[in-house]
Amino acid sequence: MSKAQDPFYIVKEENQESIDKLQSSFHQWERILPDTGEQVHLTKELLANCESIEWKVDELNKTIDVAARDPSWYGIDDRELESRRRWTTTARTQVGDVKKSVVARKENGNSTSAMRRELMKLPISHQSDRSYQYSAEDNDDFIASESDRQMLLIKQQDEELDELSASVERIGGVGLTIHEELLAQEKIIDDLGSEIDSTTNRLDFVQKKVAMVMKKASAKGQIMMILFLLVLFIILFILVFLT
């Protein structure tokens, strides 16, 4: 089976595209200032994408384990299995590195935010009422912005689930095609076996007749009979195997 028809390479290509998009978003996330609405939104989006890709890679690795039980049945060898395992390992490492960096920065940001909140609880005599008003307005704007980003993230996750569903359907279609091809090949093999059995029976019958005639014929007659049967055998061989 060619790589274009192999379900593994179909899913692998889709997962690689998701990893490339994840790394691109991660580089964009690194350039964003911490403790901003955009940074918070992108952090949640990156973590959600990491979870989704890790699940896809785990499912793909399960198919490799199944194929490893009987590689010849799936038309692959040990070298191909090792190549596929290397790719899933590399994919896990790439996604894991992104996830670790995001989680570490998120935890660091949470610690900093908690410290700021504690400092804000201390009495500050020179703060005015207007500063509290501006802070409340900023919080309201941030909450509204965060709500919009949450809705966008949910929409993106729905789109990824739709893509995953389409991938599963394509894999199912490829599997059905392989099943039909195997059934057709099995029928061809059965027909060939029947033809071989029929030809063997014919040859056995001819051999028995030759033995009977050889017993009854004289030396000269035996030679003539051998020549006749040899010509007959050649004719039968041509009719059976070359036509």
Side-chain angles (χ1 to χ4, degrees):
M1 183 185 301
S2 64
K3 291 185 177 181
Q5 296 176 338
D6 195 323
F8 173 84
Y9 286 98
I10 295 175
V11 179
K12 172 187 173 182
E13 183 178 354
E14 294 177 354
N15 287 341
Q16 188 60 54
E17 290 179 358
S18 299
I19 293 173
D20 293 341
K21 292 180 181 178
L22 175 70
Q23 292 179 332
S24 177
S25 299
F26 175 69
H27 294 321
Q28 179 184 356
W29 174 84
E30 289 181 315
R31 295 191 294 268
I32 299 175
L33 294 175
D35 296 333
T36 61
E38 183 179 2
Q39 195 263 354
V40 172
H41 161 66
L42 198 53
T43 297
K44 294 182 178 180
E45 181 180 339
L46 285 172
L47 292 177
N49 290 339
C50 286
E51 295 291 340
S52 176
I53 295 173
E54 285 178 339
W55 180 83
K56 293 178 184 178
V57 173
D58 288 340
E59 291 299 314
L60 195 58
N61 196 61
K62 291 179 182 178
T63 64
I64 298 175
D65 294 337
V66 172
R69 298 173 187 172
D70 190 2
S72 59
W73 174 261
Y74 297 94
I76 57 178
D77 53 19
D78 293 337
R79 181 180 298 177
E80 176 65 18
L81 286 172
E82 183 62 26
S83 174
R84 296 184 180 190
R85 286 195 175 101
R86 282 199 304 270
W87 183 88
T88 55
T89 301
T90 302
R92 283 200 194 97
T93 301
Q94 291 175 334
V95 176
D97 290 343
V98 172
K99 187 175 182 180
K100 289 178 182 178
S101 298
V102 173
V103 170
R105 185 170 175 180
K106 180 182 179 182
E107 291 177 351
N108 185 41
N110 290 339
S111 300
T112 303
S113 298
M115 184 179 296
R116 290 178 180 175
R117 285 194 296 269
E118 291 297 327
L119 292 174
M120 290 177 65
K121 294 179 181 179
L122 298 175
I124 303 176
S125 59
H126 62 275
Q127 287 184 333
S128 64
D129 294 338
R130 180 172 296 181
S131 64
Y132 287 107
Q133 179 181 357
Y134 288 159
S135 177
E137 291 176 353
D138 291 340
N139 288 336
D140 291 340
D141 293 339
F142 173 75
I143 293 173
S145 177
E146 186 64 21
S147 177
D148 294 338
R149 291 190 177 93
Q150 288 291 337
M151 294 299 295
L152 179 60
L153 179 59
I154 293 173
K155 181 179 178 181
Q156 291 176 344
Q157 290 176 345
D158 290 340
E159 292 175 353
E160 290 182 357
L161 289 175
D162 292 339
E163 293 177 359
L164 179 60
S165 176
S167 299
V168 173
E169 291 179 358
R170 286 197 295 270
I171 294 174
V174 174
L176 181 60
T177 302
I178 295 173
H179 177 69
E180 293 175 351
E181 291 180 356
L182 291 175
L183 291 178
Q185 293 177 2
E186 183 179 0
K187 185 177 183 303
I188 293 173
I189 293 174
D190 291 339
D191 294 341
L192 180 60
S194 299
E195 292 182 1
I196 292 174
D197 292 339
S198 177
T199 303
T200 303
N201 293 333
R202 293 177 189 174
L203 291 176
D204 291 341
F205 176 77
V206 172
Q207 288 176 351
K208 292 179 181 178
K209 289 294 182 181
V210 169
M212 294 175 60
V213 172
M214 292 291 289
K215 290 180 180 179
K216 297 179 180 179
S218 61
K220 183 178 180 180
Q222 288 178 358
I223 294 174
M224 295 298 295
M225 185 59 64
I226 290 173
L227 294 175
F228 172 75
L229 292 175
L230 179 60
V231 173
L232 180 61
F233 177 77
I234 294 173
I235 294 173
L236 289 175
F237 180 82
I238 294 173
L239 292 176
V240 172
F241 293 99
L242 302 181
T243 59

